[in-house]
Short mmCIF file of all heavy atoms in Angstrom, two decimals:
data_model
loop_
_atom_site.label_atom_id
_atom_site.label_comp_id
_atom_site.label_asym_id
_atom_site.label_seq_id
_atom_site.Cartn_x
_atom_site.Cartn_y
_atom_site.Cartn_z
N LEU A 707 5.27 15.28 1.83
CA LEU A 707 4.58 14.68 0.65
C LEU A 707 3.37 15.44 0.15
O LEU A 707 2.88 15.24 -0.94
CB LEU A 707 4.15 13.25 1.04
CG LEU A 707 5.27 12.24 1.33
CD1 LEU A 707 4.69 10.99 1.96
CD2 LEU A 707 6.00 11.95 0.07
N THR A 708 2.88 16.43 0.97
CA THR A 708 1.68 17.17 0.59
C THR A 708 1.90 18.64 0.54
O THR A 708 1.21 19.39 -0.15
CB THR A 708 0.56 16.90 1.61
OG1 THR A 708 0.88 17.43 2.91
CG2 THR A 708 0.24 15.44 1.66
N GLY A 709 2.88 19.18 1.32
CA GLY A 709 3.06 20.58 1.46
C GLY A 709 2.03 21.26 2.33
O GLY A 709 1.94 22.49 2.40
N GLU A 710 1.21 20.44 3.02
CA GLU A 710 0.14 21.02 3.84
C GLU A 710 0.42 20.72 5.32
O GLU A 710 1.11 19.73 5.64
CB GLU A 710 -1.18 20.47 3.42
CG GLU A 710 -1.63 20.86 1.95
CD GLU A 710 -3.05 20.46 1.67
OE1 GLU A 710 -3.91 20.80 2.45
OE2 GLU A 710 -3.24 19.77 0.60
N ALA A 711 -0.25 21.46 6.17
CA ALA A 711 -0.10 21.27 7.64
C ALA A 711 -0.66 19.86 8.02
O ALA A 711 -1.82 19.51 7.58
CB ALA A 711 -0.83 22.31 8.39
N PRO A 712 0.05 19.06 8.72
CA PRO A 712 -0.37 17.73 9.05
C PRO A 712 -1.69 17.64 9.82
O PRO A 712 -2.48 16.66 9.61
CB PRO A 712 0.76 17.13 9.96
CG PRO A 712 1.97 17.99 9.54
CD PRO A 712 1.42 19.35 9.26
N TYR A 713 -2.03 18.66 10.62
CA TYR A 713 -3.28 18.58 11.36
C TYR A 713 -4.54 18.50 10.51
O TYR A 713 -5.59 18.12 10.91
CB TYR A 713 -3.37 19.72 12.36
CG TYR A 713 -3.52 21.12 11.77
CD1 TYR A 713 -4.79 21.50 11.30
CD2 TYR A 713 -2.49 21.96 11.68
CE1 TYR A 713 -5.00 22.79 10.80
CE2 TYR A 713 -2.68 23.27 11.09
CZ TYR A 713 -3.86 23.66 10.66
OH TYR A 713 -4.10 24.87 10.11
N LYS A 714 -4.38 18.95 9.23
CA LYS A 714 -5.49 18.86 8.36
C LYS A 714 -5.90 17.40 8.04
O LYS A 714 -7.03 17.16 7.55
CB LYS A 714 -5.14 19.54 6.99
CG LYS A 714 -5.01 21.06 7.13
CD LYS A 714 -4.72 21.69 5.76
CE LYS A 714 -4.57 23.22 5.81
NZ LYS A 714 -4.25 23.84 4.51
N PHE A 715 -4.96 16.54 8.31
CA PHE A 715 -5.28 15.09 7.99
C PHE A 715 -5.53 14.29 9.30
O PHE A 715 -5.68 13.10 9.28
CB PHE A 715 -4.03 14.44 7.33
CG PHE A 715 -3.75 15.07 6.00
CD1 PHE A 715 -2.85 16.16 5.94
CD2 PHE A 715 -4.34 14.60 4.76
CE1 PHE A 715 -2.53 16.80 4.67
CE2 PHE A 715 -4.05 15.23 3.60
CZ PHE A 715 -3.16 16.30 3.51
N TYR A 716 -5.62 15.03 10.42
CA TYR A 716 -5.84 14.41 11.74
C TYR A 716 -7.28 14.44 11.97
O TYR A 716 -7.93 15.46 12.32
CB TYR A 716 -5.07 15.23 12.78
CG TYR A 716 -4.86 14.50 14.07
CD1 TYR A 716 -4.12 13.31 14.09
CD2 TYR A 716 -5.32 14.98 15.27
CE1 TYR A 716 -3.86 12.59 15.27
CE2 TYR A 716 -5.08 14.31 16.52
CZ TYR A 716 -4.32 13.12 16.48
OH TYR A 716 -4.10 12.44 17.65
N ARG A 717 -7.97 13.22 11.95
CA ARG A 717 -9.42 13.20 11.95
C ARG A 717 -9.85 12.06 12.88
O ARG A 717 -9.09 11.11 13.16
CB ARG A 717 -9.95 12.95 10.54
CG ARG A 717 -9.60 14.06 9.55
CD ARG A 717 -9.89 13.63 8.11
NE ARG A 717 -9.29 14.67 7.21
CZ ARG A 717 -8.97 14.41 5.93
NH1 ARG A 717 -9.07 13.14 5.46
NH2 ARG A 717 -8.57 15.34 5.14
N PRO A 718 -11.14 12.09 13.23
CA PRO A 718 -11.74 11.01 14.12
C PRO A 718 -11.66 9.65 13.36
O PRO A 718 -11.82 9.63 12.21
CB PRO A 718 -13.11 11.46 14.38
CG PRO A 718 -13.13 12.94 14.11
CD PRO A 718 -12.19 13.15 12.96
N SER A 719 -11.42 8.62 14.16
CA SER A 719 -11.47 7.31 13.63
C SER A 719 -12.00 6.38 14.71
O SER A 719 -12.36 6.77 15.80
CB SER A 719 -10.02 6.86 13.20
OG SER A 719 -9.27 6.60 14.34
N SER A 720 -12.06 5.06 14.35
CA SER A 720 -12.57 4.02 15.35
C SER A 720 -11.61 3.96 16.55
O SER A 720 -12.05 3.54 17.61
CB SER A 720 -12.69 2.74 14.65
OG SER A 720 -11.40 2.34 14.13
N LYS A 721 -10.39 4.44 16.37
CA LYS A 721 -9.39 4.32 17.51
C LYS A 721 -9.16 5.73 18.12
O LYS A 721 -8.10 5.90 18.71
CB LYS A 721 -8.11 3.71 17.01
CG LYS A 721 -8.26 2.29 16.49
CD LYS A 721 -6.95 1.73 15.91
CE LYS A 721 -5.93 1.56 16.97
NZ LYS A 721 -4.69 0.94 16.41
N GLY A 722 -10.11 6.62 17.93
CA GLY A 722 -9.86 7.91 18.39
C GLY A 722 -9.46 8.81 17.19
O GLY A 722 -9.97 8.68 16.06
N TYR A 723 -8.57 9.73 17.42
CA TYR A 723 -8.05 10.58 16.36
C TYR A 723 -6.75 9.93 15.73
O TYR A 723 -5.93 9.55 16.46
CB TYR A 723 -7.74 12.02 16.86
CG TYR A 723 -8.92 12.86 16.83
CD1 TYR A 723 -9.88 12.85 17.86
CD2 TYR A 723 -9.12 13.79 15.81
CE1 TYR A 723 -10.96 13.72 17.86
CE2 TYR A 723 -10.27 14.64 15.78
CZ TYR A 723 -11.19 14.59 16.84
OH TYR A 723 -12.31 15.34 16.85
N GLN A 724 -6.75 10.00 14.44
CA GLN A 724 -5.54 9.46 13.66
C GLN A 724 -5.34 10.26 12.41
O GLN A 724 -6.29 10.94 11.98
CB GLN A 724 -5.75 7.97 13.31
CG GLN A 724 -5.65 6.96 14.51
CD GLN A 724 -5.70 5.53 14.01
OE1 GLN A 724 -6.60 5.19 13.29
NE2 GLN A 724 -4.75 4.78 14.42
N PHE A 725 -4.18 10.11 11.78
CA PHE A 725 -3.95 10.75 10.51
C PHE A 725 -4.55 9.83 9.50
O PHE A 725 -4.29 8.67 9.34
CB PHE A 725 -2.42 10.88 10.31
CG PHE A 725 -1.76 11.88 11.15
CD1 PHE A 725 -0.98 11.51 12.22
CD2 PHE A 725 -1.91 13.28 10.83
CE1 PHE A 725 -0.36 12.48 13.05
CE2 PHE A 725 -1.26 14.19 11.59
CZ PHE A 725 -0.51 13.82 12.72
N GLN A 726 -5.45 10.48 8.68
CA GLN A 726 -6.18 9.76 7.56
C GLN A 726 -5.41 10.15 6.29
O GLN A 726 -5.48 11.27 5.82
CB GLN A 726 -7.61 10.20 7.57
CG GLN A 726 -8.38 10.02 8.82
CD GLN A 726 -8.54 8.55 9.19
OE1 GLN A 726 -8.86 7.71 8.28
NE2 GLN A 726 -8.39 8.19 10.43
N LEU A 727 -4.85 9.12 5.65
CA LEU A 727 -3.92 9.42 4.49
C LEU A 727 -4.38 8.81 3.21
O LEU A 727 -3.62 8.89 2.21
CB LEU A 727 -2.49 8.80 4.86
CG LEU A 727 -1.97 9.23 6.24
CD1 LEU A 727 -0.63 8.52 6.51
CD2 LEU A 727 -1.78 10.75 6.28
N ASP A 728 -5.61 8.31 3.15
CA ASP A 728 -6.03 7.64 1.92
C ASP A 728 -6.13 8.61 0.73
O ASP A 728 -6.00 8.22 -0.45
CB ASP A 728 -7.50 7.06 2.15
CG ASP A 728 -7.44 5.96 3.16
OD1 ASP A 728 -6.34 5.26 3.26
OD2 ASP A 728 -8.42 5.75 3.84
N SER A 729 -6.33 9.94 1.00
CA SER A 729 -6.45 10.90 -0.10
C SER A 729 -5.13 11.33 -0.63
O SER A 729 -5.03 12.16 -1.59
CB SER A 729 -7.21 12.12 0.42
OG SER A 729 -6.57 12.73 1.44
N ILE A 730 -3.99 10.88 -0.13
CA ILE A 730 -2.69 11.31 -0.58
C ILE A 730 -2.13 10.25 -1.57
O ILE A 730 -1.68 9.17 -1.10
CB ILE A 730 -1.72 11.51 0.63
CG1 ILE A 730 -2.30 12.48 1.67
CG2 ILE A 730 -0.36 12.12 0.13
CD1 ILE A 730 -1.49 12.59 2.94
N PRO A 731 -2.07 10.57 -2.81
CA PRO A 731 -1.63 9.54 -3.77
C PRO A 731 -0.22 9.10 -3.66
O PRO A 731 0.16 7.94 -4.07
CB PRO A 731 -1.85 10.25 -5.14
CG PRO A 731 -1.86 11.68 -4.83
CD PRO A 731 -2.45 11.81 -3.44
N THR A 732 0.67 9.96 -3.16
CA THR A 732 2.09 9.54 -3.03
C THR A 732 2.40 8.69 -1.81
O THR A 732 3.54 8.24 -1.63
CB THR A 732 2.98 10.84 -2.93
OG1 THR A 732 2.48 11.72 -1.93
CG2 THR A 732 2.94 11.58 -4.29
N VAL A 733 1.38 8.46 -0.93
CA VAL A 733 1.60 7.58 0.19
C VAL A 733 1.17 6.19 -0.17
O VAL A 733 -0.04 5.95 -0.30
CB VAL A 733 0.84 8.14 1.44
CG1 VAL A 733 0.98 7.22 2.66
CG2 VAL A 733 1.30 9.49 1.82
N THR A 734 2.04 5.29 -0.23
CA THR A 734 1.80 3.91 -0.56
C THR A 734 1.13 3.20 0.64
O THR A 734 1.24 3.71 1.76
CB THR A 734 3.03 3.14 -0.95
OG1 THR A 734 3.92 3.12 0.19
CG2 THR A 734 3.78 3.79 -2.14
N PRO A 735 0.49 2.11 0.44
CA PRO A 735 -0.10 1.41 1.56
C PRO A 735 0.97 1.06 2.63
O PRO A 735 0.68 1.10 3.86
CB PRO A 735 -0.67 0.19 0.98
CG PRO A 735 -1.00 0.57 -0.41
CD PRO A 735 0.11 1.51 -0.83
N GLU A 736 2.16 0.67 2.21
CA GLU A 736 3.22 0.37 3.08
C GLU A 736 3.68 1.54 3.92
O GLU A 736 3.84 1.44 5.17
CB GLU A 736 4.45 -0.22 2.33
CG GLU A 736 4.18 -1.55 1.67
CD GLU A 736 3.48 -1.41 0.32
OE1 GLU A 736 3.32 -0.23 -0.09
OE2 GLU A 736 3.08 -2.43 -0.27
#
């Protein structure tokens, strides 16, 4: 969906490290 390496979206969160996808417009909430 992005053409970019997934680890670029792997960031710290309240549950440790997770993929943060809010900046990807083609990823629906579902």
